[in-house]
Amino acid sequence: FAMSRTLMDIPARTLLREDFAKEPAGGLYGGKLSSGVAAAKGHGEFVAFRFNPTLTVLPRMALRFSVRCSSAKRLQLELFEQGGNDQPWLIHLTPKQGEWVEVTVKFDDLRLRDKPAARLATDTHLRNFKLYIEGETDASLEIDWVEFVRLGPGE
């Protein structure tokens, strides 16, 4: 109990942050960078980048990002494991239109598409971030920053 109690009392901290001032270390493979923002335009388009190095899942982990959308009906966030499993951990989000908003997604809320009862285990290595936009043909998605954090007690 002493070890787990110690881990649970650790305050919040940022584990990885991407602010798009330059291309992510692992490479951007969806969307375009412009003036410190990663953007995608059109239904089914996405912003995606690889982590370098991979990111290890810890207890109380979450993802925070700042996003602005227009003509978007839904966003789909996907995180992929390093290694064999090509099925993403995902969640659907309903975006606010036309203004910057900060979104927090707890890892406990992510689900596998074909195994909704599964939960993302600690010590899993993640390799990339992908955020799809669903909406009109002129739908747009802009991301100012993305950070992976371990939430503090009670968050």
Side-chain angles (χ1 to χ4, degrees):
F1 281 111
M3 182 62 167
S4 62
R5 175 69 193 206
T6 301
L7 280 176
M8 296 312 289
D9 290 341
I10 294 173
R13 73 178 176 112
T14 299
L15 305 167
L16 182 144
R17 182 175 170 97
E18 184 52 63
D19 63 10
F20 303 114
K22 61 184 185 329
E23 183 161 333
L28 187 77
Y29 66 95
K32 294 186 174 15
L33 293 185
S34 176
S35 304
V37 172
K41 194 164 181 80
H43 173 78
E45 293 299 315
F46 56 87
V47 169
F49 63 93
R50 285 181 192 81
F51 308 133
N52 184 13
T54 57
L55 186 69
T56 303
V57 176
L58 298 172
R60 294 194 335 260
M61 206 153 152
L63 169 64
R64 290 185 175 144
F65 57 96
S66 177
V67 64
R68 180 169 63 183
C69 301
S70 67
S71 301
K73 289 185 172 59
R74 186 167 85 161
L75 300 177
Q76 180 171 299
L77 171 67
E78 296 183 349
L79 301 176
F80 289 85
E81 290 180 35
Q82 183 70 23
N85 187 4
D86 272 342
Q87 194 176 127
W89 291 92
L90 59 86
I91 192 169
H92 294 107
L93 306 166
T94 303
K96 199 168 199 175
Q97 304 296 316
E99 62 185 81
W100 287 103
V101 292
E102 189 175 310
V103 177
T104 300
V105 174
K106 293 180 179 181
F107 277 23
D108 288 346
D109 295 334
L110 296 170
R111 300 292 181 260
L112 284 175
R113 181 177 289 122
D114 297 337
K115 295 180 188 170
R119 296 295 176 268
L120 187 54
T122 56
D123 293 332
T124 301
H125 293 277
L126 299 174
R127 69 175 190 250
N128 68 320
F129 166 97
K130 187 182 270 188
L131 188 63
Y132 281 95
I133 186 170
E134 298 176 16
E136 307 302 321
T137 53
D138 67 340
S140 69
L141 164 67
E142 297 171 281
I143 304 174
D144 186 35
W145 52 264
V146 174
E147 66 182 16
F148 290 84
V149 297
R150 188 178 56 230
L151 299 174
E155 276 190 87

